Amino acid sequence: MTNKKFDLVIKGGRVVDPALGFGQDAHLFIKDGRISAIESDSAEMSRMLKTLDGDQVIDASEKLVVPGLIDIHVHLREPGREDEETIESGCRAAAAGGFTAVCCMPNTTPRIDNQETVKFVQDRAEGASARVYVVGAITKNIEGKELAEIGDLVKMGAVAITDDGHYVQNPDIMRRALEYSKMFKIPVCQHAEDQYLVSGGVMNESFQSTRLGLKGSPAVAEEVAVLRDIALCRVTGARLHIQHISTRRAVEAIRQAKREGVNVTTEACPHHFVLTDEEIGKEFNTNLRVNPPIRTKEDRDAVIEGLVDGTIDCIASDHAPHSEEEKDCEFDQAPSGMIGLETTLGLVKTYLVDRGYLDWGDAIRKLTSNPARIFGLKGGTLAVGAAADITIIDPDKKWTIRAEKFRSRSKNSPFIGWKLSGQVYKTILGGKVVFEL
Amino acid sequence: MSHLASRHLLGLEGVSKEDMTLILDTADSFREVLDRTIKKLPTLRGITVVNLFYEPSTRTRISFELAEKRLSADTVSFSPSTSSVQKGESLRDTVQNIEAMKIDMVVVRHKSSGVPYYLTQCMDANIINAGDGTHEHPTQGLLDMFTIRRKYKKLEGLRVVLVGDVKHSRVTRSNLWGLKTMGASVALCGPSTLMPYEVERFGVDHYTDIDEALEGADVVNIMRIQLERQQAGLFPSQREYTNLFGITRERLKRLNKNYTIMHPGPMNRGVEITSEVADSDQSVILDQVTNGVAVRMAVLYLLSGRKKEEGADND
């Protein structure tokens, strides 16, 4: 507790909070780690601001002041692969990308399928530059055979469950997971890819895979999985969240299911709304190997359309760090995944906002209040009394993605060298600046 | 020496008609050398070529080794089963160690598509693709074109049908790109489960009825059927495959009069081709093997001596 009336004031920025339906120039006042007021400018305000210490004030003029971004799909690799990422380094990357909260996936080594591992992650996240929410496994050891102790996971603080990286192939087990999870009011998240149809594919099945002689993973593998799970969601009345949607027909399936009132939500990743499989081209760049794969132009456009019409609720990075050694190999031998925490906001601005698909309000909604709602998280708003998790964005700042600037321990991004517009200026967590440009 | 546009041969996709013609014309002169008593030239004296064969191969490996020796190159052959690859060494480390021994050219065969391109990122040597995964096998494509051209004195206007497991065949892709660029008409034929995805985007004819495909064709190039494809459920049995797609004497009636039978080998006699056809006068299967040495000599010759610092790269 301090004696000052305010610990921090962010003055003169354009405050955008879709949860509050707020979008205007205003000053934001922070006290004891919480938002204490949002005030429009006035003569009285200006006089008051002049009385504050310089170190109490952040001048946000020409900037956007938004709720701290929330990424509900992140791989922090700890425990098990601390060479690729740690909770600490992942959270630094999150802060640099404007994220004040991340939800970490359970496919670590060991898996996050028991209370002890949840506790381990929570303990390691103490004092990190972002809030870490744990997503537990659906099945023991992510093997798709027996349900994990979901109740215990939730009791310990898990906010959702998923076997991410693996599809729960057995429909009966998925049905039970949906039914069982209803007791805890958490979403069951699905990495939707029928493994029989994927059949070892390493890139999208298309003319490009034909050209390159790489085994294709067909879009229908995702479509079949999404349709099956929508059917199971309908019959169980549970909450289903489809992760990293990537195909046209899967987007259509979710659009239709939502029309029918099925309780399904979904997310899209920047690489699926920015890239197409033609990028793999002749260079066989292993940083473009992701799962689900980067699809065709038609699929990419459908993902954008889904973001525009609200079929796709939120944007998540699927930040998947891999060491340089692991990615420096034959394309079909490389692990899947690319990092994304530090590039997501710039890609959203450059490829969705600047191109007129989303306005800032929509974009921020998909990065704050919507993910918070889906996973039942606190945050995602600048409401008075809420934790002062805030992201300040320099909306038109031109910058180039540089490998050496990444805070992540891994550099596996195909976007290195890309020029973007829109960069994080400061990230504030609980009233404290955790990142500044 | 006239130069190719690239200092590597990674595939035939994107290679110009001029470059392919240069390789085929150069191969013509080397083919004559192979008929001489002394089949050796000093052309690559002082050049060291490493043959990196990560995948089993008989004819391609021997063909390259012979081509290198005929041109007086120093050659080293590498086999992963007796190398540090067994100790877990990465591909990059393996090739960079080999390059540190001051070699000039690498001929690479690998089960993963894209490895020849990857090697261009790891080392300075000239890279020649001797078959990568299901991507390309450019010297096979060139030797097939060379063999056809020797017989018909042209490629333009000929109708070439590629039959069999065209989906998994790197030979198919190289043939297709090469023949199309040279003005031949290409058709693919095989079971629909062995047809490449979105095959129509290659801009070639494609058939699942062999008799239809062979109608009016000049050349039939038969791609090998692998037993593992049947085991993976891509067709029900070799017997059924033979009934539907096997090249028999009877089926050849549909071809043009002066037709040609080709096969890159190894052949499954009695499955994709009958012995009667394979050993007939129209078969040039063994000529392909001989011509392969000449074509590989041409490729080695044209790429040799072009190091990175010489510029004119477009790779």
Side-chain angles (χ1 to χ4, degrees):
Chain A
M1 288 286 218
T2 63
N3 295 323
K4 290 174 184 170
K5 197 172 174 194
F6 306 111
D7 298 328
L8 188 63
V9 178
I10 300 166
K11 72 166 189 181
R14 176 89 182 162
V15 179
V16 177
D17 182 354
L20 291 177
F22 192 89
Q24 63 184 68
D25 292 346
H27 310 300
L28 205 59
F29 297 86
I30 295 153
K31 174 74 175 164
D32 297 333
R34 301 202 163 268
I35 311 278
S36 61
I38 309 179
E39 299 287 350
S40 300
D41 199 24
S42 65
E44 187 192 346
M45 259 315 130
S46 295
R47 270 198 303 280
M48 195 274 280
L49 287 172
K50 279 181 192 155
T51 66
L52 297 172
D53 294 343
D55 60 1
Q56 271 182 278
V57 181
I58 294 171
D59 184 354
S61 42
E62 311 293 317
K63 308 285 193 296
L64 287 180
V65 180
V66 305
L69 310 183
I70 297 171
D71 191 339
I72 58 172
H73 195 145
V74 167
H75 297 269
L76 293 178
R77 300 291 186 227
E78 190 178 359
R81 285 307 303 266
E82 292 80 359
D83 59 317
E84 294 181 330
E85 197 78 282
T86 61
I87 291 165
E88 192 263 333
S89 67
C91 287
R92 270 192 290 125
F99 291 96
T100 55
V102 295
C103 298
C104 63
M105 296 296 113
N107 56 340
T108 49
T109 312
R111 311 299 201 189
I112 307 178
D113 62 354
N114 58 72
Q115 286 195 333
E116 288 69 29
T117 326
V118 176
K119 181 75 169 51
F120 171 84
V121 173
Q122 289 168 336
D123 288 348
R124 300 291 282 189
E126 281 285 322
S129 319
R131 298 179 200 278
V132 176
Y133 295 101
V134 179
V135 179
I138 298 173
T139 63
K140 287 176 188 159
N141 206 29
I142 309 193
E143 286 174 346
K145 292 177 184 162
E146 290 176 76
L147 292 186
E149 291 172 336
I150 297 166
D152 271 1
L153 290 168
V154 173
K155 195 172 170 189
M156 188 51 76
V159 295
I161 49 171
T162 180
D163 275 3
D164 185 42
H166 297 81
Y167 174 61
V168 181
Q169 186 74 46
N170 183 323
D172 189 43
I173 289 176
M174 186 61 183
R175 178 188 174 160
R176 277 186 251 141
L178 286 160
E179 281 175 342
Y180 196 73
S181 69
K182 277 172 69 179
M183 291 193 291
F184 313 108
K185 300 181 174 53
I186 54 159
V188 180
C189 309
Q190 179 71 287
H191 175 120
E193 274 191 311
D194 185 293
Q195 287 309 303
Y196 290 107
L197 286 166
V198 168
S199 185
V202 299
M203 69 172 288
N204 183 44
E205 181 180 80
S206 66
F207 179 61
Q208 298 307 324
S209 63
T210 289
R211 259 187 68 220
L212 298 173
L214 289 169
K215 186 149 177 46
S217 171
V220 72
E222 181 170 318
E223 186 192 339
V224 161
V226 167
L227 285 167
R228 184 202 78 173
D229 287 347
I230 285 170
L232 294 174
C233 183
R234 188 186 288 121
V235 81
T236 57
R239 288 173 59 197
L240 172 69
H241 177 73
I242 300 294
Q243 300 177 284
H244 41 44
I245 197 162
S246 71
T247 80
R248 178 172 66 86
R249 290 188 185 279
V251 173
E252 277 173 15
I254 289 183
R255 184 177 289 126
Q256 179 60 30
K258 283 186 165 185
R259 272 195 206 120
E260 289 173 28
V262 178
N263 201 351
V264 58
T265 53
T266 189
E267 70 195 27
C269 302
H271 45 270
H272 289 131
F273 60 73
V274 171
L275 300 169
T276 69
D277 57 5
E278 289 182 24
E279 298 279 342
I280 295 168
K282 272 288 185 193
E283 298 194 358
F284 296 88
N285 180 351
T286 56
N287 287 332
L288 292 165
R289 183 167 176 196
V290 285
N291 190 14
I294 295 160
R295 308 276 187 190
T296 63
K297 182 178 178 299
E298 191 189 25
D299 294 307
R300 182 197 62 185
D301 292 349
V303 169
I304 293 172
E305 205 180 308
L307 285 162
V308 171
D309 73 7
T311 301
I312 299 173
D313 303 84
C314 61
I315 293 166
S317 71
D318 192 6
H319 178 80
H322 288 293
S323 68
E324 194 177 339
E325 293 78 10
E326 278 187 310
K327 280 284 193 180
D328 186 11
C329 64
E330 302 88 321
F331 190 91
D332 56 6
Q333 303 298 310
S336 297
M338 65 171 78
I339 56 169
L341 280 168
E342 294 166 82
T343 52
T344 291
L345 184 70
L347 291 166
V348 167
K349 165 62 168 45
T350 311
Y351 288 88
L352 297 178
V353 177
D354 286 353
R355 296 190 176 190
Y357 295 119
L358 298 182
D359 60 27
W360 266 119
D362 289 335
I364 297 305
R365 180 179 294 110
K366 288 180 196 298
L367 287 161
T368 59
S369 53
N370 279 5
R373 174 176 51 80
I374 293 165
F375 273 33
L377 310 178
K378 287 178 182 164
T381 178
L382 299 173
V384 171
D389 294 355
I390 302 158
T391 302
I392 307 177
I393 301 165
D394 194 342
D396 297 311
K397 175 79 186 293
K398 304 282 186 288
W399 63 293
T400 302
I401 299 172
R402 301 263 180 234
E404 62 275 17
K405 296 274 189 189
F406 283 136
R407 272 75 172 173
S408 172
R409 282 203 172 179
S410 295
K411 319 282 179 210
N412 54 309
S413 169
F415 298 114
I416 291 166
W418 283 40
K419 291 179 171 39
L420 301 180
S421 154
Q423 194 173 22
V424 178
Y425 176 66
K426 283 186 200 299
T427 306
I428 295 161
L429 179 71
K432 301 267 183 304
V433 176
V434 288
F435 169 80
E436 53 192 335
L437 198 58
Chain B
M1 186 198 304
S2 299
H3 283 319
L4 299 172
S6 171
R7 49 185 287 270
H8 308 293
L9 181 65
L10 307 179
L12 294 188
E13 185 187 1
V15 175
S16 68
K17 189 172 184 176
E18 293 68 34
D19 275 3
M20 276 192 265
T21 305
L22 175 61
I23 295 169
L24 299 181
D25 290 349
T26 309
D28 266 329
S29 50
F30 286 126
R31 181 66 184 79
E32 282 170 33
V33 172
L34 296 180
D35 288 332
R36 293 183 197 160
T37 317
I38 307 289
K39 303 175 180 64
K40 199 157 175 119
L41 297 168
T43 318
L44 294 193
R45 205 155 54 189
I47 298 275
T48 305
V49 187
V50 178
N51 300 301
L52 290 178
F53 277 71
Y54 277 82
E55 219 186 35
S57 162
T58 306
R59 73 206 69 209
T60 305
R61 184 171 55 80
I62 293 175
S63 181
F64 265 109
E65 281 179 9
L66 273 174
E68 291 150 12
K69 288 183 197 313
R70 299 279 185 243
L71 293 173
S72 305
D74 295 318
T75 68
V76 184
S77 287
F78 164 94
S79 146
S81 58
T82 55
S83 77
S84 291
V85 172
Q86 296 302 313
K87 300 175 190 166
E89 189 175 52
S90 72
L91 180 55
R92 178 183 286 273
D93 282 339
T94 301
V95 299
Q96 286 184 340
N97 274 285
I98 290 170
E99 182 155 59
M101 298 181 209
K102 305 296 177 192
I103 55 96
D104 303 288
M105 305 181 84
V106 168
V107 175
V108 61
R109 157 74 63 99
H110 202 285
K111 68 177 176 12
S112 296
S113 301
V115 160
Y117 177 85
Y118 177 68
L119 294 194
T120 68
Q121 307 300 296
C122 303
M123 55 202 310
D124 288 332
N126 306 89
I127 309 295
I128 299 171
N129 181 0
D132 62 326
T134 52
H135 177 221
E136 283 223 43
H137 192 351
T139 56
Q140 180 71 45
L142 287 163
L143 78 87
D144 287 349
M145 289 194 287
F146 180 80
T147 305
I148 298 168
R149 198 178 79 155
R150 264 172 77 88
K151 176 166 175 180
Y152 296 97
K153 311 295 176 214
K154 64 171 186 176
L155 287 164
E156 196 156 5
L158 294 175
R159 179 171 161 82
V160 181
V161 183
L162 303 163
V163 181
D165 182 0
V166 293
K167 178 174 185 166
H168 299 98
S169 165
R170 51 194 171 207
V171 178
T172 295
R173 283 169 183 74
S174 289
N175 261 269
L176 189 152
W177 294 123
L179 287 164
K180 269 189 67 176
T181 303
M182 299 304 282
S185 138
V186 182
L188 305 179
C189 180
S192 43
T193 46
L194 294 177
M195 204 45 84
Y197 192 78
E198 293 192 328
V199 63
E200 61 282 358
R201 289 186 57 188
F202 278 123
V204 297
D205 296 333
H206 52 99
Y207 301 88
T208 51
D209 181 327
I210 184 73
D211 295 320
E212 228 178 279
L214 294 182
E215 201 69 54
D218 300 291
V219 179
V220 189
N221 199 348
I222 300 150
M223 303 297 138
R224 189 163 61 98
I225 288 295
Q226 291 168 279
L227 187 59
E228 70 226 47
R229 306 293 175 213
Q230 184 197 328
Q231 286 158 351
L234 292 172
F235 59 96
S237 67
Q238 296 207 10
R239 182 181 159 277
E240 178 157 308
Y241 180 85
T242 304
N243 288 340
L244 291 173
F245 297 97
I247 301 296
T248 58
R249 175 68 72 187
E250 184 63 21
R251 288 201 156 116
L252 299 177
K253 287 176 187 160
R254 296 180 176 272
L255 295 167
N256 282 343
K257 210 170 172 190
N258 185 26
Y259 69 84
T260 303
I261 301 295
M262 302 178 81
H263 195 304
M267 281 186 285
N268 292 311
R269 286 174 182 262
V271 179
E272 65 242 8
I273 186 169
T274 61
S275 282
E276 190 187 17
V277 174
D279 302 330
S280 66
D281 289 345
Q282 288 77 21
S283 165
V284 294
I285 293 169
L286 290 175
D287 294 332
Q288 286 173 268
V289 179
T290 311
N291 294 339
V293 179
V295 165
R296 287 169 180 130
M297 287 168 79
V299 169
L300 287 159
Y301 167 71
L302 291 167
L303 295 179
S304 66
R306 293 203 61 205
K307 299 297 259 183
K308 216 169 201 173
E309 57 271 21
E310 287 178 22
D313 274 348
N314 70 346
D315 49 48

